[in-house]
Each structure stands twice: as structure tokens, then as C-alpha cells.
Amino acid sequence: GESVGLHLPTLSVQEGDNSIINCAYSNSASDYFIWYKQESGKGPQFIIDIRSNMDKRQGQRVTVLLNKTVKHLSLQIAATQPGDSAVYFCADAPVQGSGNTPLVFGKGTRLSVIA
Amino acid sequence: ETGVTQSPTHLIKTRGQQVTLRCSSQSGHNTVSWYQQALGQGPQFIFQYYREEENGRGNFPPRFSGLQFPNYSSELNVNALELDDSALYLCASSPTPKSSGNTIYFGEGSWLTVV
């Protein structure tokens, strides 16, 4: 079956540095990808998404890069702040014709920001 | 704030009991999906409700059931609770059943502990 996974389970960065969180997906038919941030005890919070017809998308301090050739997704956080400390999930929404397309999540990467 | 509200926030049940979790979707969203998130894992799709009918199901047994009401709110029912059902149960709402291209908002979840 399809799977969405992450290369690193934990990531520690100094405050002010840039963070890069990576994700690999296996379904070449996937056409939509989302990054979520989940703080302790809370639900996933939408950060940014990207369609498969794009390679890059930027938001406020965040950039998502999509490499369809190697089925790799990354989230870049600029000038990482203590408030960015959380678990980050990538999720994949495979194309399934006219039916529903539930999100497939990876296990997550825990980002710790060192002050 | 995502506009998706869930109740209760925390509850403890005994093995073999039944539980009902509730979700109010974001205004204008007619689709509700439920996910189970075990500790240290990414959310796993349980099922989706659209127009008051189940519209897709993940790999969960029949003792996981649900309802959607005319106002698009939803319930998740779990019968014959098992210890492994202990998890965070997340509700997500979207304007259509398809994930692709839709921003999917999650509630804060209901923490279920089965003892």
C-alpha cells in the first residue's frame, strides 16, 4: 500500500536558524500534499499545501518544496522560533477518482528549538 | 481557531464499554472525517461522512461507527472498547469529500483512555 514517511524522527535547531523537515511518499499518483504542525495536546494545524503541478510554494516564513522525480517533500522554516517547536506531519491525498480522498499521514518529525 | 469543535476533550472508559465522541464542523463544510492518532504516531483515517452517509472507510473494525446529522455535525461511536483504542480521536471538516485542493481543518481532538 501507499505510505508517507519521514527521514528523521527528531530535529534540533538553534533559534534563528533555518529548519528543514523532509518527507518521502510512495504513491506516484498523489497530487496533493499538506504540512501540519501539532503542538502537544492539540490537533494538527494546517501550515501549507502544494499541488503536484507545482515545485515550490511559499508562505509566511515557510516554504514547501516538492520533487516528484524522487517523491520527496520538504518543509523549510526560516528563522526558527521557540514557538515553532512541535511535531510536524506531512500528509498525502492520493487521487482516487470520484470518491473520497482521505489524508495519509507519516509518523511525524519532532522539531525542538534551542534558545 | 479552525471552527471545528470536539467534545469531550478527555475521557476515561473501561474495557468493554461504549463511547460516543462528537464533532461540529466548520461552517459551510459538509464533509466530516474521523482520524485516530495513537501516541507517537500520525493520524490514521477511520471514516468519512458526507451528506449524512458513510463515504469511505479506513482499516477499522465495524465496532467503529458514526453518524452525520443534517447540520453536518457528526458522532463517532466505538463499541466494546479495547485497551488499544486509547488514542486521540480527531475530527476534520472540509467543503467536499476530496482532500485535494481543499484546506482540511482539524479539531483539537478527544483524548480517550481505556483502562
Side-chain angles (χ1 to χ4, degrees):
Chain A
E2 63 195 52
S3 65
V4 176
L6 295 170
H7 295 309
L8 297 172
T10 60
L11 176 66
S12 296
V13 297
Q14 290 286 339
E15 181 179 359
D17 287 353
N18 296 334
S19 302
I20 300 177
I21 301 172
N22 296 304
C23 177
Y25 64 96
S26 59
N27 188 346
S28 57
S30 298
D31 78 337
Y32 183 59
F33 306 89
I34 311 174
W35 281 100
Y36 284 95
K37 171 186 180 184
Q38 188 172 28
E39 296 175 277
S40 181
K42 296 188 176 182
Q45 175 187 356
F46 175 89
I47 301 174
I48 192 168
D49 58 1
I50 188 168
R51 297 290 298 269
S52 59
N53 60 352
M54 301 172 67
D55 297 322
K56 178 180 179 179
R57 191 172 187 205
Q58 288 184 295
Q60 186 175 14
R61 279 201 309 119
V62 295
T63 300
V64 55
L65 299 178
L66 176 63
N67 185 328
K68 295 180 288 293
T69 302
V70 295
K71 291 184 280 189
H72 183 268
L73 191 70
S74 69
L75 176 70
Q76 300 179 1
I77 304 173
T80 312
Q81 303 169 359
D84 295 326
S85 294
V87 177
Y88 289 81
F89 292 96
C90 66
D92 168 285
V95 174
Q96 290 183 3
S98 61
N100 71 78
T101 54
L103 297 174
V104 177
F105 285 82
K107 288 188 176 181
T109 293
R110 179 173 298 280
L111 175 65
S112 297
V113 180
I114 304 167
Chain B
E1 289 295 325
T2 64
V4 181
T5 58
Q6 293 187 243
S7 64
T9 55
H10 296 82
L11 71 167
I12 300 173
K13 290 286 188 177
T14 303
R15 188 171 51 183
Q17 284 188 315
Q18 179 265 346
V19 68
T20 297
L21 307 177
R22 297 176 177 82
C23 171
S24 294
S25 61
Q26 187 181 79
S27 178
H29 285 190
N30 58 21
T31 302
V32 172
S33 300
W34 287 90
Y35 289 78
Q36 180 195 65
Q37 185 177 20
L39 197 62
Q41 303 291 320
Q44 298 290 315
F45 175 70
I46 303 175
F47 45 54
Q48 181 187 82
Y49 275 82
Y50 171 61
R51 293 182 176 179
E52 302 179 50
E53 293 188 356
E54 187 177 293
N55 185 47
R57 188 179 187 92
N59 188 26
F60 280 83
R63 59 189 185 84
F64 285 77
S65 63
L67 287 172
Q68 186 178 34
F69 302 98
N71 65 355
Y72 305 136
S73 65
S74 177
E75 286 182 356
L76 164 65
N77 299 291
V78 186
N79 294 322
L81 283 167
E82 301 176 359
L83 297 178
D84 286 347
D85 295 333
S86 296
L88 177 66
Y89 288 85
L90 295 162
C91 171
S93 79
S94 56
T96 76
K98 282 189 171 293
S99 299
S100 180
N102 291 313
T103 300
I104 299 171
Y105 295 100
F106 283 85
E108 298 292 12
S110 294
W111 284 97
L112 171 64
T113 301
V114 182
V115 297

